[in-house]
Amino acid sequence: MGEYAHINVVKEEGIGVIQLDRPDVSNALNRKMVDEIVGEMEVLDRDETVRVIVVKGHEKFFAAGADIEEMLEDSPLSLELLDPFAVWDRITLIKKPLIAAVNGFALGGGFELALHCDLIIAGEKAKFGFPEVKLGVMPGAGGTQFLTKAMGERKALEWIWLGESMSAAEAERFGVINRVVAPEMLEEETMRLAKQLANQAPISLRLIKEAVHKAEELSLTDGMKLERKNFYLAFDSNDQKEGMQAFMDKRRPSFKGV
């Protein structure tokens, strides 16, 4: 793990934890910070000792939106040349489970970062939203796409057009997040879930993640073909042999990720 300006990273029991750490500006995501987050996700994705990646903020905030001061002088041409959202696309290539743990607010780019994760666990006081319309712009790192896939076109339009925030309870009801817990229990519950996943067969998790994420963009026929291909691939792993033998032996399997 390298030295970072805006994040902290720890590893424990097969779980890599990335903590956003720019508290003086409520973890507003400047470009350097996004580069660090994604770069470390890729490092942990390659790390054979890590099976699950968690992204978390602080007690009162996950992350505000993009760093507005950094964007004040941007122009269409400067943005085209810089292509600041290309780094976000790399998150979709992470093979291991990604969990976002959200306390406080996750707005704009902060909400988009959470939506890029596979699972979102939130404290009861968490708030989610896209206030970009109030600045004369719009989400640009996937917010319109991820939110629409999660809650449907009409509700997504309403939330993004109005620029309002939704509570954790509303986000759970609309299928935007997975679980809501007491704020003081967020870390414990997130790590409990992460440890459950870390004990699963890593190759199975990877193949399942690919099939589920592709389900929305493939036809049913093509999606079924991918599912079956991945099902067959699982049988080339030692973990498949271990899992089925453990079942027959009535013992807990010990998965190695090979």
Side-chain angles (χ1 to χ4, degrees), residues 91-164:
I91 302 177
T92 64
L93 302 178
I94 300 297
K95 301 296 191 296
K96 293 174 181 175
L98 280 171
I99 304 174
V102 180
N103 254 336
F105 52 83
L107 303 176
F111 192 10
E112 286 172 314
L113 178 59
L115 287 170
H116 271 77
C117 294
D118 303 306
L119 303 176
I120 304 175
I121 313 298
E124 292 168 339
K125 297 180 181 180
K127 295 287 187 181
F128 301 87
F130 289 117
E132 284 89 340
V133 67
K134 298 178 180 179
L135 301 177
V137 290
M138 62 176 286
T144 61
Q145 305 305 299
F146 282 105
L147 194 63
T148 301
K149 290 179 184 298
M151 67 192 314
E153 179 181 332
R154 295 186 189 280
K155 294 305 295 185
L157 268 176
E158 179 182 351
W159 285 108
I160 299 173
W161 269 348
L162 294 177
E164 296 177 346

Side-chain angles (χ1 to χ4, degrees), residues 63-254:
D67 190 323
I68 302 303
E69 183 177 358
E70 185 180 58
M71 302 171 67
L72 282 175
E73 302 302 321
D74 282 336
S75 68
L77 181 57
S78 71
L79 290 170
E80 173 65 27
L81 294 174
L82 183 62
D83 196 9
F85 298 121
V87 63
W88 290 81
D89 295 337
R90 288 158 44 197
I91 302 177
T92 64
L93 302 178
I94 300 297
K95 301 296 191 296
K96 293 174 181 175
L98 280 171
I99 304 174
V102 180
N103 254 336
F105 52 83
L107 303 176
F111 192 10
E112 286 172 314
L113 178 59
L115 287 170
H116 271 77
C117 294
D118 303 306
L119 303 176
I120 304 175
I121 313 298
E124 292 168 339
K125 297 180 181 180
K127 295 287 187 181
F128 301 87
F130 289 117
E132 284 89 340
V133 67
K134 298 178 180 179
L135 301 177
V137 290
M138 62 176 286
T144 61
Q145 305 305 299
F146 282 105
L147 194 63
T148 301
K149 290 179 184 298
M151 67 192 314
E153 179 181 332
R154 295 186 189 280
K155 294 305 295 185
L157 268 176
E158 179 182 351
W159 285 108
I160 299 173
W161 269 348
L162 294 177
E164 296 177 346
S165 296
M166 68 180 80
S167 67
E170 288 173 312
E172 183 184 33
R173 186 168 72 250
F174 288 124
V176 177
I177 68 175
N178 296 87
R179 302 180 187 179
V180 179
V181 300
E184 65 273 14
M185 295 297 295
L186 178 64
E187 181 140 0
E188 180 179 334
E189 284 297 306
T190 300
M191 295 304 288
R192 185 179 67 82
L193 175 60
K195 288 173 183 176
Q196 283 184 287
L197 291 175
N199 286 326
Q200 304 284 45
I203 293 173
S204 293
L205 293 178
R206 174 174 174 163
L207 295 173
I208 291 166
K209 176 172 176 172
E210 180 189 26
V212 170
H213 283 317
K214 289 290 185 180
E216 290 184 322
E217 61 186 77
L218 295 176
S219 67
L220 179 59
T221 298
D222 289 339
M224 292 293 288
K225 288 179 180 177
L226 174 62
E227 179 184 273
R228 289 169 188 168
K229 175 186 74 74
N230 284 4
F231 178 84
Y232 299 151
L233 280 175
F235 278 74
D236 198 38
S237 69
N238 292 333
D239 279 350
Q240 174 267 327
K241 311 297 186 296
E242 165 64 10
M244 291 193 172
Q245 190 60 54
F247 177 83
M248 297 301 295
D249 295 342
K250 295 181 172 54
R251 60 176 172 82
R252 176 176 294 182
S254 177

